[in-house]
Amino acid sequence: MDLRKLTNAAMMTAMAVVMTLIGVYIPPLFVLFFLIPAPIAITCIRSSESYAIASSFAVFIVNVIFTDIGTAFTSLFFALQGFVMGYLISKKRKASETLIDTSVVSIFGVIVIFYFIKVAFKINALDQFFKAIDMSTKEVLSIYQGHPNFSAIKSNLLTIEEMLKMTLPVSIIIAVVAVILINYIIIYKILKTQRVYIDALPPFEEWKMPYVTGWIFIGVLLYQYFLKQPEAITTNIIVLLSLGFTLGGLAVVKYYLTHKLNMKSLAANLILVFLFLFPLTSWLFTIIGIADTSMDLRKYMS
């Protein structure tokens, strides 16, 4: 038995367990719960796959003892997500391939978990989510019950409620990808301090949506335009691609600020956040992102 690998695995397992318990019992630090994949992935890379699997189930068992079965299975999901990332990284896969493959596996895992919960515990997770939205809407409406514009407020809230329900699939996808992306960045930075180098993600200002996504977006918009009412599949596609194009537009603008105007990265980021908060400029970022898929706007700034 390699003592160095065992020590590394023990440290990473302890870190994952502590992060899990802190995230559960200290609500302001709940975000730590979503960082479980990082130490498990590092265990897989620095020790071995078997150590990573053992660490994943150690996290699960501790959560069964100190929390509840639902939280335990959620922690196991994130731990296995870390195992997939660590395995792919150890096989020298590119950063983009690791993110895509882990996202696909994770989304499939979410579907399996929802099905398992429904079969084993007779709980429909989606119905619970919809009921929570309904309750929140009713509580907000009760606050505005005597407001002069109550009918308009009610109409807007019901529209938002319906949109939240319709876009649940894309919301799950975005959340899964965001968690994987953040954990990959953390893994890269931690391993770099240990002089273990993995494929780095491209700088944000070089992010760009694939060419074909622009045509898909235009086609879906035209299809949606001729429908009498919004359709769940097309709405989710539009939301997902819109987010991607917005990020692409932000990347183009940051490239211009940092390379053309020689602005510091921090100052450029603050400007982007400020502009993103306004609806008009947010739409402009989306349009820039769509144009960038075919025109490669950065070449005109070189």
Side-chain angles (χ1 to χ4, degrees), residues 10-251:
M11 290 176 60
M12 291 297 104
T13 303
M15 182 181 296
V17 168
V18 170
M19 289 166 56
T20 303
L21 296 179
I22 290 176
V24 171
Y25 289 108
I26 305 179
L29 299 178
F30 76 96
V31 68
L32 291 176
F33 195 84
F34 301 105
L35 303 182
I36 297 173
I40 302 300
I42 292 173
T43 300
C44 189
I45 297 166
R46 296 300 309 273
S47 298
S48 68
E49 289 89 347
S50 58
Y51 280 115
I53 293 174
S55 297
S56 300
F57 283 99
V59 172
F60 172 73
I61 293 170
V62 169
N63 275 273
V64 169
I65 296 172
F66 291 101
T67 60
D68 56 79
I69 192 67
T71 303
F73 274 108
T74 304
S75 67
L76 180 61
F77 167 76
F78 285 120
L80 294 178
Q81 191 179 68
F83 170 77
V84 174
M85 293 179 68
Y87 176 79
L88 293 173
I89 292 171
S90 65
K91 298 304 178 182
K92 307 300 181 182
R93 298 290 292 273
K94 293 182 179 179
S96 58
E97 294 176 348
T98 299
L99 294 179
I100 293 172
D101 292 348
T102 307
S103 297
V104 172
V105 172
S106 299
I107 292 168
F108 177 75
V110 170
I111 297 173
V112 171
I113 289 172
F114 282 176
Y115 180 77
F116 174 78
I117 292 174
K118 185 175 181 179
V119 172
F121 303 103
K122 307 301 180 182
I123 298 174
N124 190 318
L126 296 181
D127 284 346
Q128 295 298 318
F129 176 81
F130 294 151
K131 288 179 181 178
I133 294 178
D134 290 336
M135 290 179 61
S136 299
T137 303
K138 290 178 181 178
E139 289 178 3
V140 173
L141 287 175
S142 65
I143 297 174
Y144 289 96
Q145 188 68 45
H147 196 279
N149 296 324
F150 177 74
S151 58
I153 294 173
K154 181 179 180 180
S155 177
N156 290 333
L157 282 175
L158 292 177
T159 301
I160 294 172
E161 177 185 351
E162 188 63 28
M163 184 59 66
L164 286 174
K165 292 179 179 179
M166 186 178 293
T167 58
L168 176 60
V170 74
S171 300
I172 293 174
I173 292 173
I174 292 171
V176 167
V177 174
V179 168
I180 294 170
L181 178 62
I182 292 170
N183 276 279
Y184 191 92
I185 294 172
I186 293 173
I187 293 166
Y188 174 81
K189 291 185 178 296
I190 292 176
L191 290 179
K192 188 176 180 181
T193 63
Q194 301 173 357
R195 297 189 178 184
V196 176
Y197 301 99
I198 64 176
D199 188 45
L201 290 167
F204 176 68
E205 54 265 32
E206 295 180 8
W207 287 16
K208 178 184 176 183
M209 291 287 281
Y211 172 75
V212 69
T213 56
W215 289 109
I216 293 174
F217 186 70
I218 293 172
V220 172
L221 279 180
L222 291 173
Y223 177 75
Q224 184 83 301
Y225 176 79
F226 290 106
L227 290 177
K228 293 182 179 180
Q229 58 184 6
E231 193 176 72
I233 295 176
T234 55
T235 299
N236 281 273
I237 293 174
I238 290 172
V239 171
L240 182 61
L241 292 180
S242 294
L243 176 61
F245 293 134
T246 301
L247 292 175
L250 287 166

